[in-house]
Amino acid sequence: MMGWMAEREDLRAARREGPLSDLWDPQTYRVALYVLLALPVGGAAAALLTGGVVVGLLTLPVLVGAALLLGSLWLVGGLADVQRTLAGLLGVGFVRPALAPAYTGVLPWLRATLGDPDTYRALLFHVVQLPLALLCWLVLALLLAVAAVGLSAPLWASAPERVTPVFLTWGNLSAQPTPLAAAGLVLLGLGAVIVSAGVLNLMGRMWGRLAGALLSQGGASEAARREVLALRRAAGRVALGDDLEATLRDLTDQARAASTARTVALVAPGGALRALSGAPLDPGDDLEPLAGVPLSGGASVRALKGGGTLALLPVTLPASAGVGGGTLRAVYATGRRPGPDELAFLLSIADHAGTALHAAELIERAGARAGEQERARLARELHDSVAQALYGITLGAKTARATLERDPVRTRASLDYTIRLAEGGVSEMKALLFSLRPDALEEGGLVAALSQHAHALEARHGLNVHAELGAEPSLTPDAQAAAYRVAQEALHNVVKHARAESVWLSLRQEGEEVRLEVRDDGRGFDTAAAGRGTLGQRSMRERAAGVGGALRVGSAPGEGTAVVLTLPAAPAEAPPLRELP
């Protein structure tokens, strides 16, 4: 749809400006120029169209009449273009059709023109323009006459009778205004001037609505289509959310492309520029924090010092964010103002910008929290594994040094113990590296990761670990990570709770399923009494369910515990197709 003049300004701002605001508004004088030109332009259009039709009908028996009628029909569209240009004084802009129909002959053109609703709307505008312009002239002439008489009252009221014999007479009675009456007339003249400015702005809104309704060239569907496409692209960009700066820049591009603004900017609460699209800002386009920023869901339209119009729309964030989102600011050229539909579109873009900012903030918070949790987990792992191993190595080395001279057998045993602890520490460190690096499982594989963890468990805690891992199973990266975490948690539970001597760890693929089992000979527990298990068991079940697997925990007092994880195997990749000879 065409971008036409806003239906109303911010009423509160208008009240603050006072009753003289219309006199200082440049739009008032542009409307006055439009009303001044509307009568002669309307008269010329009416004369041309009426004359062409009348003369064409009278000379229809000859070929000249048909040509005149076709010319009059063409004038309907040509004069409508003139009226559209003239409507620019009102701040009315029009969106022309994307593709103009190609000329293919007189008859196709005549058929298309007569079947186009725009032709009849433009003709209706030409019909009503002349009488409406004449009425506007009469109203303004009456107001200006009252203003002229009132403002000139001190001159003619104080002049001698012989110079300016202006009296109020009725029969034999006559009267001359007193100074007090003259002052009242001056106030009346000033009031007429103020009222004239207000009436001019009302006329401007009336002419703007009339021009927008009758002179648009099917632009409503075109502008609506552009706005819908822009909103769809903006939503897709926000959903992608890979780069906040690129997202905000793309949102400003979409807003400018689908609106009549010459510049669209996203500004932070402190006044910093986040994204800009369109022409560079003029010195008058101040982007410092402005007073009176509209609340959520509102918009403010105001004039700029350097000319033009600024539409100010809030970028809202949820209250939980604790900070403001800033504003979206659309700058329009002199004489143009956004309509309500365009403001609603820009407000939707501002909401998309707020969503993008909030999503980026949530991602940043989640990343920071995940980093804190990972550092805490790493600290616990280092304390429970590598730090204990290093402490054992230190004790073993000190014992070997103390018994080196008097008891070589004990020294050798201490050194063997120290070596085993060192090997266990190395294995534990490798297991930690596997868990810290996201791509470690993909590079080394699940079998290698479980082997390292089993070796570390055996060396560090003295358990007999029987690992039957076999070939690398076919699992997705997410399923690999889930299987490794489940095995970690199950083995940790064995060390912490089971009091076992041996652990059996197996991993094998059976058709379209991968089965991971961790079994021990510890003291076990009553599964019925434990219900769904501890926090660790719930975590393992959630990990399994997250990748489409299932977890089963079987145990009984004195009979050990078996944790069985079943995962779907990754589908095999189809072989490439061979080209036919």
Side-chain angles (χ1 to χ4, degrees):
M1 183 179 180
M2 53 79 201
W4 58 343
M5 185 176 56
E7 291 186 359
R8 59 185 177 88
E9 301 289 342
D10 191 333
L11 295 179
R12 290 174 298 176
R15 292 192 188 100
R16 285 195 300 268
E17 292 175 0
L20 299 179
S21 59
D22 289 332
L23 287 174
W24 315 133
D25 189 359
Q27 182 68 16
T28 301
Y29 302 97
R30 287 192 289 268
V31 173
L33 180 59
Y34 177 87
V35 174
L36 182 66
L37 297 175
L39 185 61
V41 172
L48 287 173
L49 292 176
T50 304
V53 171
V54 171
V55 176
L57 290 175
L58 293 177
T59 59
L60 191 59
V62 295
L63 295 178
V64 177
L68 287 175
L69 290 176
L70 290 175
S72 299
L73 185 60
W74 177 84
L75 274 177
V76 173
L79 291 173
D81 288 335
V82 175
Q83 300 286 8
R84 294 184 188 98
T85 303
L86 188 62
L89 293 171
L90 303 173
V92 179
F94 296 90
V95 177
R96 296 186 177 273
L99 294 175
Y103 177 76
T104 57
V106 176
L107 291 179
W109 173 83
L110 180 62
R111 190 182 306 112
T113 303
L114 292 177
D116 189 359
D118 293 344
T119 302
Y120 303 99
R121 289 200 297 267
L123 182 60
L124 180 60
F125 184 86
H126 297 319
V127 170
V128 302
Q129 184 186 30
L130 181 60
L132 190 58
L134 182 59
L135 178 62
C136 291
W137 272 47
L138 291 176
V139 172
L140 288 176
L142 178 61
L143 289 173
L144 292 178
V146 172
V149 171
L151 293 177
S152 62
L155 298 177
W156 56 262
S158 61
E161 179 183 352
R162 62 180 181 275
V163 177
T164 55
V166 180
F167 294 94
L168 299 177
T169 62
W170 180 263
N172 295 326
L173 300 176
S174 62
Q176 188 173 6
T178 63
L180 183 61
L185 290 175
V186 171
L187 292 178
L188 178 64
L190 291 175
V193 171
I194 296 174
V195 171
S196 299
V199 169
L200 274 173
N201 274 333
L202 288 176
M203 289 179 178
R205 296 179 185 180
M206 176 195 67
W207 282 107
R209 289 191 180 190
L210 186 65
L214 298 181
L215 295 179
S216 60
Q217 295 178 282
S221 59
E222 176 67 19
R225 184 186 67 83
R226 292 194 307 173
E227 290 179 359
V228 169
L229 288 177
L231 289 175
R232 188 174 70 179
R233 292 170 183 166
R237 183 71 191 187
V238 171
L240 181 61
D242 54 347
D243 186 342
L244 179 60
E245 292 185 1
T247 299
L248 297 181
R249 187 167 54 250
D250 189 67
L251 288 176
T252 56
D253 289 340
Q254 297 298 334
R256 186 184 61 83
S259 68
T260 57
R262 66 174 175 86
T263 301
V264 176
L266 279 168
V267 183
L273 188 64
R274 279 177 169 151
L276 176 69
S277 177
L281 296 172
D282 293 333
D285 301 339
D286 190 10
L287 290 181
E288 292 299 319
L290 297 177
V293 175
L295 300 177
S296 175
S300 175
V301 180
R302 60 187 69 179
L304 290 172
K305 296 179 181 178
T309 305
L310 171 66
L312 191 66
L313 304 103
V315 177
T316 56
L317 292 177
S320 60
V323 294
T327 54
L328 184 144
R329 305 186 183 188
V331 181
Y332 294 82
T334 302
R336 290 193 179 274
R337 300 189 183 193
D341 293 337
E342 186 165 315
L343 288 176
F345 163 71
L346 292 176
L347 191 59
S348 298
I349 293 292
D351 290 340
H352 281 302
T355 302
L357 290 170
H358 187 51
E361 182 184 4
L362 290 178
I363 291 173
E364 184 178 356
R365 288 183 185 178
R369 183 177 179 84
E372 293 175 358
Q373 292 177 343
E374 186 64 20
R375 286 192 294 271
R377 187 192 68 82
L378 178 60
R380 290 194 303 269
E381 293 288 342
L382 288 174
H383 176 269
D384 294 341
S385 58
V386 179
Q388 296 293 338
L390 292 176
Y391 180 71
I393 291 172
T394 302
L395 290 179
K398 289 181 178 179
T399 302
R401 184 180 61 183
T403 60
L404 180 61
E405 299 294 337
R406 65 178 185 274
D407 194 348
V409 175
R410 188 176 178 185
T411 300
R412 188 179 298 108
S414 298
L415 290 176
D416 291 340
Y417 172 75
T418 302
I419 292 172
R420 286 198 304 272
L421 286 179
E423 291 175 348
V426 171
S427 300
E428 190 71 23
M429 183 60 70
K430 289 182 178 180
L432 286 175
L433 292 177
F434 265 95
S435 64
L436 286 175
R437 294 182 55 199
D439 58 344
L441 284 173
E442 184 177 352
E443 293 179 359
L446 180 60
V447 172
L450 291 177
S451 298
Q452 294 287 350
H453 198 71
H455 189 192
L457 193 71
E458 188 175 35
R460 177 182 168 194
H461 298 286
L463 290 172
N464 297 319
V465 181
H466 307 279
E468 298 178 3
L469 301 178
E472 185 71 27
S474 178
L475 290 173
T476 63
D478 290 339
Q480 278 189 339
Y484 181 68
R485 295 298 187 186
V486 168
Q488 267 188 321
E489 184 65 29
L491 293 172
H492 176 73
N493 289 339
V494 170
V495 173
K496 188 175 181 180
H497 305 292
R499 298 180 184 176
E501 295 182 359
S502 299
V503 179
W504 289 264
L505 175 64
S506 65
L507 176 68
R508 60 182 180 274
Q509 182 170 346
E510 300 173 347
E512 296 182 356
E513 287 186 347
V514 176
R515 179 185 175 92
L516 172 68
E517 181 177 359
V518 178
R519 182 168 53 89
D520 65 74
D521 60 355
R523 58 180 180 174
F525 61 93
D526 187 358
T527 56
R532 294 282 296 174
T534 61
L535 180 61
Q537 288 190 39
R538 289 197 296 270
S539 175
M540 289 190 291
R541 294 183 193 277
E542 291 173 359
R543 290 185 184 277
V547 292
L551 185 77
R552 180 174 58 84
V553 178
S555 182
E559 297 183 6
T561 303
V563 177
V564 180
L565 172 66
T566 304
L567 297 172
E573 296 183 0
L577 297 177
R578 293 184 300 172
E579 295 184 1
L580 296 176

